[in-house]
Amino acid sequence: MKLSSLSWKRGQNAQQSGSRLAYLTVMCLILHITVPSWAAEWSVLPSMSMKGYYNDNLLLTQLPHKSTYGYWISPGAEFAGKTERLEISGRAALDFADYYGGVKDRFTNVFLPLVMRYRTERDEWGFTGGFTRDNTLMGELLATGLVLQFTQRNLWTANPTWSRSLTEKFAFQGAFQFSNATYENGLRLGLVDYQVFGGSAGFLYKATEHDDIQLSGTYTNFHTTNAQFGLRASLPGAMLSLTHAFTETLKVTTYGGPRFISSNSQLAGSDVTTRNTVWVYGASLSKQFEKALFQATVNRDIYPSGFGLLIRTDRMGLMASYDISETVTASLDTSGYLISGASPLARGGTLQENRLIYSTPKITWKFSEWWKIEASYSYRWRDVENLAEPVAANMVTFMLTYYPPKLSFSE
């Protein structure tokens, strides 16, 4: 048993080292391409935020619980650089979060996103990615709609892209996807680490000044990295996307295509293979008014999960904002989710159907050149098949942010 455990740990360390090496290799390639035209103009916008927090059911549980409250201190800085061919933007931010009451804990969140774009006459290279350390009830919940255990998640992502114009209306597009997620005390909480590799390649045709048609083939590989009962799944597929701009301020995008899921689970010393087809699709409508912005979305997609499986999420969302005055803005973010398993659990079994509703109205007041205050209320409603009744949570936050003068310089 000791030898088996040691071999498993060595394998896990080798996988983690391999993922970091792949990420660094992609970053070095991007830097090799872009360094000769490094940004000539830079700007840095620092900030410091302080947030008070209250939630009457942080874990969305039916069990007896107390309300949770706390405070966050969040220093950060946004940066950008630009030349004729190269654009770089990113952010470096921290959250020092302290929780009291029903949940007593202390977290440090880290946000290091990076976006790069480099153009030539016929080619464009891009990159989005970075590192995020947050808790599972933040970014992962809003992306997938699935409520996991309350713990920290470390997520590395790297998504380089390449586009080449073949004619004035016809272009080739290629993309690569990599992500590596690990959870603090994950195995003890029933969560497993995972990696995702994938890519897509296809063609973009600009039919008219207002219409774009894109057809591409996709492939994704998902596998758990530390589960004793591992899961590996592959998802080849195809995607057709149509975009129409009615006006400069009104735009509609629709897309859809099949995913052919083949998953292999190692259970009780034997391999279990399942195959199924899931159609993914989506549509979005965005409208920009003089003082308001409106966006409606509906989509179905497949996401990796810390439960050690692929999940299918159907989501309907609405985002709206309105400038009440030059200094006051009101906004609303509402989403409804229907979540089910797209593959079996790494440890066996299937995921029961989950439903989640999330709604957050917010008001922002920039009461001086360097100061801004935000007040928001969030309502979350969750229902699972085996729960006797749905559960709900109410959350209130107040945040004060200071923006020092913006720094700009040239090289």
Side-chain angles (χ1 to χ4, degrees), residues 44 342 346 397:
V44 179
T397 62

Side-chain angles (χ1 to χ4, degrees), residues 25-284:
T25 300
V26 173
M27 289 297 296
C28 289
L29 178 61
I30 293 172
L31 291 174
H32 175 74
I33 295 174
T34 58
V35 161
S37 301
W38 203 245
E41 296 182 359
W42 284 95
S43 64
V44 179
L45 179 61
S47 65
M48 173 64 75
S49 297
M50 294 159 286
K51 180 167 71 173
Y53 175 92
Y54 171 83
N55 194 317
D56 64 0
N57 190 359
L58 177 64
L59 304 182
L60 287 170
T61 178
Q62 282 189 319
L63 299 175
H65 60 276
K66 297 180 179 179
S67 298
T68 299
Y69 57 93
Y71 65 90
W72 294 24
I73 299 176
S74 306
E78 297 180 1
F79 60 89
K82 185 177 181 180
T83 66
E84 292 183 357
R85 294 187 174 184
L86 176 66
E87 293 183 13
I88 301 174
S89 62
R91 180 169 171 251
L94 298 172
D95 287 335
F96 300 103
D98 285 81
Y99 293 90
Y100 303 93
V103 175
K104 298 180 178 66
D105 216 328
R106 175 174 294 179
F107 288 154
T108 299
N109 299 322
V110 182
F111 304 96
L112 298 171
L114 178 66
V115 178
M116 303 175 67
R117 185 165 58 180
Y118 180 79
R119 303 186 191 89
T120 63
E121 292 183 0
R122 300 183 64 181
D123 297 280
E124 180 176 306
W125 287 271
F127 175 85
T128 60
F131 173 72
T132 299
R133 177 177 172 82
D134 60 2
N135 70 66
T136 52
L137 297 183
M138 293 180 63
E140 187 163 359
L141 173 64
L142 297 183
T144 66
L146 190 61
V147 178
L148 304 183
Q149 296 286 347
F150 186 54
T151 188
Q152 291 289 93
R153 177 192 65 162
N154 296 318
L155 179 64
W156 288 92
T157 60
N159 302 291
T161 61
W162 173 51
S163 176
R164 181 173 179 83
S165 299
L166 304 178
T167 66
E168 291 184 358
K169 294 187 175 183
F170 202 57
F172 170 81
Q173 294 182 333
F176 173 77
Q177 173 193 12
F178 165 76
S179 61
N180 182 76
T182 60
Y183 297 89
E184 193 171 287
N185 299 318
L187 292 179
R188 182 174 62 83
L189 298 172
L191 303 177
V192 298
D193 303 340
Y194 64 83
Q195 288 183 355
V196 177
F197 292 90
S200 64
F203 296 93
L204 173 67
Y205 177 65
K206 193 169 185 62
T208 68
E209 293 184 357
H210 303 285
D211 297 279
D212 291 337
I213 303 173
Q214 185 176 8
L215 178 63
S216 60
T218 67
Y219 177 81
T220 304
N221 182 280
F222 164 85
H223 66 275
T224 58
T225 59
N226 69 338
Q228 295 181 355
F229 303 99
L231 173 70
R232 182 177 292 272
S234 60
L235 296 83
M239 183 68 70
L240 175 65
S241 175
L242 306 174
T243 301
H244 177 71
F246 292 96
T247 65
E248 293 183 358
T249 61
L250 179 60
K251 182 178 180 181
V252 175
T253 299
T254 61
Y255 63 88
R259 293 288 186 272
F260 306 102
I261 304 176
S262 176
S263 61
N264 180 272
S265 304
Q266 299 175 352
L267 302 173
S270 62
D271 291 347
V272 178
T273 300
T274 61
R275 292 182 173 85
N276 63 313
T277 300
V278 175
W279 285 84
V280 299
Y281 54 82
S284 66

Side-chain angles (χ1 to χ4, degrees), residues 90 165 217 304 337 376 387:
S165 299
Y337 303 80
S376 67
L387 292 181

